[in-house]
Amino acid sequence: MKKEEVQAAIIEAVHQVKSTNPMAPSITNTVTINFVANTQIAVGGSAAMVYMPDEGKTMANIAQAMYINVGTIFPIYEETLPQTAAKLHELGKNWVVDPVAIGIGELRTKLLNDFKPYKPSIIRGNASEVIALAHLWHLLDHPSESKVRGVDSTESVDQATEAALALALYTGGAVSVSGKTDLVTDGHHIAHSHGGSSFMGKITGAGCSLGGVTAVYACVADPFIAALTACQVFNLAGSRAEAKVKAPGSFQPQFIDELYLASAEDIAHNSFDFVTL
């Protein structure tokens, strides 16, 4: 695959989403539900928020792809999350998992460990979360030194490359690592997407909403293209929004506007590096 082919696939994914308005339901962090839904809608998708086990399985049947975020955990999720993941795996549908705050709390750790046999199509997290998940699933030989601090990363994106490759090769899908420069890999290719804004770290839900938008593109594209398209539109919209505002409070609505306004060609040609391994 060449970079020009990747750009063409990104353009096709953006056009497909805007023309078909696919629904990508989410089981997501309650702190960020509104922002996740608004960003999904802004790029051309449709949002639905799920809580109960029967809802998760029903949505898995209906939707083309789903998003699961473990940022806030409720007791009912001990049933909802594994049942939904199992149904998605059974149906062969794309799904995105965000291992927010992995290692904090026994239930969260158990749920993330239980996801392993269901092989999420896309894993999206910060560097520390990606490293910690690879160790939880015993995909790396050396001991873990990763320390997750709440939702924040203590490692760089480059430090997570080995873990991202191991996870992608195990799942057969893609891994998206968020940072100053985002990394996306399917184990055979690596892309680094540039842009974004420092304000993204000063609002709640930039990462969660990226996961939700990734699921929207996963409705119409393969995991690698879906993950990269989401990073590309976020980095483009982030840099454009920052150029028009002075602080985080005004950045968030401007960012949503820029997601909505971004053209397929501009998204595809936002700066990114691409290599085949």
Side-chain angles (χ1 to χ4, degrees):
M1 184 160 50
K2 297 179 180 179
K3 185 173 182 179
E4 293 77 14
E5 294 172 314
V6 173
Q7 289 172 317
I10 290 172
I11 290 171
E12 177 63 20
V14 175
H15 285 318
Q16 281 290 317
V17 163
K18 289 183 182 293
S19 64
T20 63
N21 184 226
M23 181 176 65
S26 302
I27 305 170
T28 191
N29 190 334
T30 55
V31 180
T32 64
I33 283 174
N34 181 261
F35 192 38
V36 171
N38 282 335
T39 53
Q40 289 181 310
I41 294 166
V43 300
S46 178
M49 299 300 158
V50 179
Y51 300 92
M52 303 300 290
D54 60 333
E55 296 174 338
K57 289 187 288 185
T58 298
M59 286 299 185
N61 278 303
I62 296 172
Q64 295 104 310
M66 285 189 69
Y67 173 47
I68 296 178
N69 176 308
V70 300
T72 48
I73 295 292
F74 299 105
I76 192 65
Y77 283 2
E78 192 165 8
E79 297 178 47
T80 305
L81 298 192
Q83 289 184 26
T84 304
K87 178 56 71 173
L88 289 161
H89 180 70
E90 175 191 329
L91 296 171
K93 298 213 176 159
N94 283 340
W95 63 289
V96 181
V97 68
D98 192 331
V100 178
I102 180 174
I104 299 177
E106 292 181 7
L107 180 55
R108 177 181 286 106
T109 302
K110 177 184 181 299
L111 290 170
L112 288 169
N113 198 42
D114 288 348
F115 286 157
K116 183 180 179 182
Y118 303 132
K119 296 187 175 182
S121 312
I122 301 168
I123 297 162
R124 193 230 68 84
N126 64 39
S128 294
E129 291 161 349
V130 168
I131 293 169
L133 186 63
H135 279 288
L136 179 66
W137 288 0
H138 304 290
L139 300 178
L140 296 176
D141 295 331
H142 50 80
S144 175
E145 298 178 358
S146 179
K147 293 181 175 62
V148 178
R149 190 189 73 180
V151 299
D152 298 325
S153 181
T154 59
E155 275 94 14
S156 70
V157 169
D158 285 345
Q159 287 175 295
T161 301
E162 181 187 6
L165 288 168
L167 286 164
L169 289 170
Y170 168 74
T171 63
V175 178
S176 175
V177 188
S178 298
K180 187 173 181 181
T181 297
D182 298 328
L183 179 151
V184 178
T185 184
D186 60 0
H188 307 287
H189 309 88
I190 294 178
H192 287 92
S193 177
H194 304 285
S197 166
S198 60
F199 290 147
M200 286 174 144
K202 300 182 185 302
I203 60 173
T204 302
C208 299
S209 58
L210 176 58
V213 167
T214 300
V216 169
Y217 289 120
C219 292
V220 301
D222 69 67
F224 178 76
I225 294 299
L228 181 55
T229 304
C231 288
Q232 285 286 97
V233 71
F234 262 55
N235 283 325
L236 176 67
S239 59
R240 286 180 170 179
E242 185 180 279
K244 297 178 181 178
V245 302
K246 296 180 179 179
S250 52
F251 172 81
Q252 191 172 46
Q254 187 65 48
F255 175 69
I256 293 173
D257 284 352
E258 298 300 337
L259 288 177
Y260 177 80
L261 294 169
S263 72
E265 289 72 17
D266 285 348
I267 294 167
H269 290 93
N270 180 68
S271 176
F272 74 98
D273 305 315
F274 176 77
V275 295
T276 298
L277 300 178

